Amino acid sequence: MALAEAARKVANEFEYTSEDVNAAVKEFLREMDEGLEKDGTSLSQIPTYVTAVPNGTEKGLYMAVDLGGTNFRVCSIQLHGNTTFSLTQSKVKIPAEIMTAKTAEELFAFLAKQIELFLKEHHTEHYEGHIQRIATGTTDKEYREQEIFNLGFTFSFPVQQIGINRGLLMRWTKGFDIQDAVGKDVCALLQKEIDKLHLPVRVAALVNDTVGTLMARSYTSPGKTSTLLGAIFGTGTNGAYVERLGRVKKLAGGKENAGAYDASTGEMIVNTEWGSFDNALRVLPNTPYDAALDRDSVNPGIQMFEKRVSGMFLGEILRRAVVAVLQDLSVPLFKDEDSSVNELHSTTQISKDSSLFRTWGLDTSFLSIAHGDSSPGLRITRQALDRDLGINAASVEDAEAVKIMAAAVGRRAARLSAVAIGAILIQSGRLETVTGNEELDVVDIGVDGSLVEFYPGFEDYVREALREIPQIGEKGEKRIRIGIAKDGSGVGAALIALVAGKVPNPADAAGE
Ligand code: BGC
């Protein structure tokens, strides 16, 4: 078969039509309702106990840490109170052995150590003063209160939140696998390790990165419109949105656990955990590449939406598709012209050791590169094939074929993302109210993550699909403002730590 034809055939397998989008929106809306009513559903719909979003006037110095996927970030944030902030941060890659450690202690001790290093480097006076007072026994309670940093803990995994700074880990995602931590309060685990190092830090708030993104976007976003949704399209994917309190039906039984929360706004941020939308595969597409990826993952059968949308997985989907074309010896992909028949490795230009033949061997950034490549003869893609996969003699046709497949995987991911965004827009009812005031009629969405930031045309594809949803259409789509909330999770965590600092901690009140 001709190479371009073979590539287009694979691309067709990733086609995600308007009908598909609309069927999935319907299912998403159903799962949203189900998740608001009871626990243990595919879409978790976790109440966050955050009932208000900031307005930009908040002030103060806070700390935040962010355990998201690939990196651990520690930052301090000075909120200036005029919608701006300054941020100091350090970032370390999480070692693979920590991601799959035997005990929770190993992970949390590593995190506490990073907090200590950060304080020593960026807040020496604060740190040394504290340590000295502990050593000389001159720390009185009141002084300690002022000196302690309130820390917002962005923990970007599914957590059953039972209070503003308490939450039990439900399951790991994104390649983490430390069974010892499942079911435990991640704030308590972190606080314990912080205390072992005598750091002047109190874990004041637990935040999912999507909630942080929503808060940060609300703090910085211009104008009178409050933000509806914070969404991450990065290593993983997820969204948190502002829900009417009355609709969060499952809250009724769990209220007392949550401690004090202010119900006066009549709203609460809900963390959907949409990475696990349609784990039953009622409406999600399922190519042979998706199915094989799931089988080989650390968590088969869950995070099925995430496995088709987010950065941790797209490179792997493409890798599997490329290998399938390569293994068809009748297709001249990466093969010398005169040798299309024999055994695979003797006929291709690729060594057996190429990471093309290794699970997770192709990074999602490759998709962005190939999709965005308009250089003559696709020079940039061919260079990337050489650099990332050791394929040094790819032809223009090879590169074109890979580009066609990469674009199809990326486009499907963006259209699936529109399903989640579209359903939440519909559920919010915000498109139904029209004031005629352009500014008030904007529906604001804050996003973050490598895919939205770097994948060329991601937002355009999302918008295209949103227009295909009848309840949104062209008119509705025009009202949607999507803005990147850079450093959202750090700033958002600081903002929640600020709110939490004002609310009496129920645990303290109970004398725990
Ligand atoms: C996690 C979410 C998180 C998302 C984005 C997912 O794997 O389950 O909690 O918000 O990744 O980081």
Side-chain angles (χ1 to χ4, degrees), residues 73-145:
R73 290 198 307 153
V74 186
C75 39
S76 58
I77 297 116
Q78 183 77 52
L79 300 168
H80 301 309
N82 58 356
T83 81
T84 68
F85 61 86
S86 2
L87 182 135
T88 311
Q89 72 159 322
S90 71
K91 190 161 101 174
V92 282
K93 197 168 154 41
I94 304 164
E97 64 275 14
I98 295 276
M99 289 169 71
T100 52
K102 280 268 160 320
T103 63
E105 187 183 342
E106 284 167 73
L107 168 67
F108 288 93
F110 171 83
L111 305 186
K113 190 77 206 157
Q114 306 309 315
I115 298 174
E116 180 178 49
L117 292 173
F118 178 85
L119 285 175
K120 277 187 186 161
E121 190 177 340
H122 298 289
H123 296 278
T124 342
E125 283 179 24
H126 217 91
Y127 173 75
E128 277 170 3
H130 180 80
I131 296 292
Q132 215 170 13
R133 272 187 292 281
I134 288 175
T136 55
T138 52
T139 309
D140 65 66
K141 179 116 176 53
E142 201 178 319
Y143 196 89
R144 250 174 46 213
E145 269 309 306

Side-chain angles (χ1 to χ4, degrees), residues 35-234:
L36 290 173
E37 269 169 36
K38 53 179 190 235
D39 291 329
T41 52
S42 192
L43 216 56
S44 298
Q45 297 281 68
I46 302 167
T48 62
Y49 303 101
V50 179
T51 53
V53 294
N55 61 14
T57 60
E58 293 76 8
K59 275 188 186 164
L61 177 65
Y62 294 88
M63 265 190 93
V65 293
D66 182 353
L67 182 69
T70 329
N71 298 306
F72 180 62
R73 290 198 307 153
V74 186
C75 39
S76 58
I77 297 116
Q78 183 77 52
L79 300 168
H80 301 309
N82 58 356
T83 81
T84 68
F85 61 86
S86 2
L87 182 135
T88 311
Q89 72 159 322
S90 71
K91 190 161 101 174
V92 282
K93 197 168 154 41
I94 304 164
E97 64 275 14
I98 295 276
M99 289 169 71
T100 52
K102 280 268 160 320
T103 63
E105 187 183 342
E106 284 167 73
L107 168 67
F108 288 93
F110 171 83
L111 305 186
K113 190 77 206 157
Q114 306 309 315
I115 298 174
E116 180 178 49
L117 292 173
F118 178 85
L119 285 175
K120 277 187 186 161
E121 190 177 340
H122 298 289
H123 296 278
T124 342
E125 283 179 24
H126 217 91
Y127 173 75
E128 277 170 3
H130 180 80
I131 296 292
Q132 215 170 13
R133 272 187 292 281
I134 288 175
T136 55
T138 52
T139 309
D140 65 66
K141 179 116 176 53
E142 201 178 319
Y143 196 89
R144 250 174 46 213
E145 269 309 306
Q146 293 167 12
E147 147 189 298
I148 280 176
F149 266 119
N150 274 323
L151 172 124
F153 182 16
T154 305
F155 183 75
S156 305
F157 300 91
V159 160
Q160 193 63 51
Q161 195 126 10
I162 50 174
I164 196 86
N165 64 350
R166 291 163 156 217
L168 312 177
L169 175 63
M170 296 160 70
R171 60 178 180 274
W172 288 108
T173 60
K174 297 176 282 198
F176 277 68
D177 188 15
I178 309 169
Q179 284 313 309
D180 178 40
V182 175
K184 294 192 178 148
D185 176 1
V186 292
C187 287
L189 289 172
L190 180 60
Q191 189 70 60
K192 191 166 153 205
E193 298 306 319
I194 288 174
D195 291 347
K196 279 190 199 162
L197 298 176
H198 304 292
L199 307 179
V201 174
R202 173 175 46 224
V203 183
L206 176 64
V207 193
N208 186 267
D209 52 354
T210 55
V211 180
T213 300
L214 174 52
M215 299 294 275
R217 174 74 188 167
S218 303
Y219 179 79
T220 54
S221 96
K224 303 186 193 92
T225 345
S226 67
T227 306
L228 168 68
L229 167 67
I232 302 281
F233 299 100

Side-chain angles (χ1 to χ4, degrees), residues 160-379:
Q160 193 63 51
Q161 195 126 10
I162 50 174
I164 196 86
N165 64 350
R166 291 163 156 217
L168 312 177
L169 175 63
M170 296 160 70
R171 60 178 180 274
W172 288 108
T173 60
K174 297 176 282 198
F176 277 68
D177 188 15
I178 309 169
Q179 284 313 309
D180 178 40
V182 175
K184 294 192 178 148
D185 176 1
V186 292
C187 287
L189 289 172
L190 180 60
Q191 189 70 60
K192 191 166 153 205
E193 298 306 319
I194 288 174
D195 291 347
K196 279 190 199 162
L197 298 176
H198 304 292
L199 307 179
V201 174
R202 173 175 46 224
V203 183
L206 176 64
V207 193
N208 186 267
D209 52 354
T210 55
V211 180
T213 300
L214 174 52
M215 299 294 275
R217 174 74 188 167
S218 303
Y219 179 79
T220 54
S221 96
K224 303 186 193 92
T225 345
S226 67
T227 306
L228 168 68
L229 167 67
I232 302 281
F233 299 100
T235 308
T237 183
N238 187 18
Y241 71 104
V242 181
E243 181 56 280
R244 282 156 283 184
L245 207 44
R247 288 183 48 89
V248 194
K249 301 219 178 72
K250 65 182 174 189
L251 201 59
K255 228 191 255 175
E256 57 286 352
N257 290 335
Y261 70 82
D262 170 18
S264 62
T265 58
E267 292 178 334
M268 183 177 279
I269 298 178
V270 170
N271 169 13
T272 64
E273 284 298 334
W274 73 37
S276 263
F277 164 57
D278 192 25
N279 280 345
L281 296 185
R282 288 194 182 93
V283 292
L284 286 177
N286 197 27
T287 67
Y289 324 110
D290 296 308
L293 177 152
D294 182 51
R295 260 199 315 275
D296 291 347
S297 69
V298 290
N299 52 359
I302 56 173
Q303 300 294 103
M304 297 307 249
F305 183 72
E306 179 163 87
K307 284 174 180 156
R308 286 146 180 80
V309 168
S310 77
M312 175 150 181
F313 305 99
L314 299 187
E316 177 62 10
I317 298 176
L318 175 65
R319 187 193 70 79
R320 286 173 186 266
V322 171
V323 169
V325 174
L326 189 74
Q327 279 169 344
D328 180 343
L329 296 181
S330 73
V331 179
L333 177 66
F334 305 136
K335 297 184 181 90
D336 298 326
E337 270 164 35
D338 55 351
S339 58
S340 53
V341 235
N342 296 317
E343 214 194 315
L344 180 65
H345 290 295
S346 62
T347 61
T348 64
Q349 308 149 353
I350 314 174
S351 114
K352 279 195 190 93
D353 304 328
S354 164
S355 55
L356 183 62
F357 300 115
R358 225 184 37 233
T359 308
W360 311 114
L362 184 58
D363 197 88
T364 296
S365 57
F366 180 86
L367 268 80
S368 303
I369 294 172
H371 192 162
D373 187 3
S374 51
S375 61
L378 295 183
R379 183 179 42 84

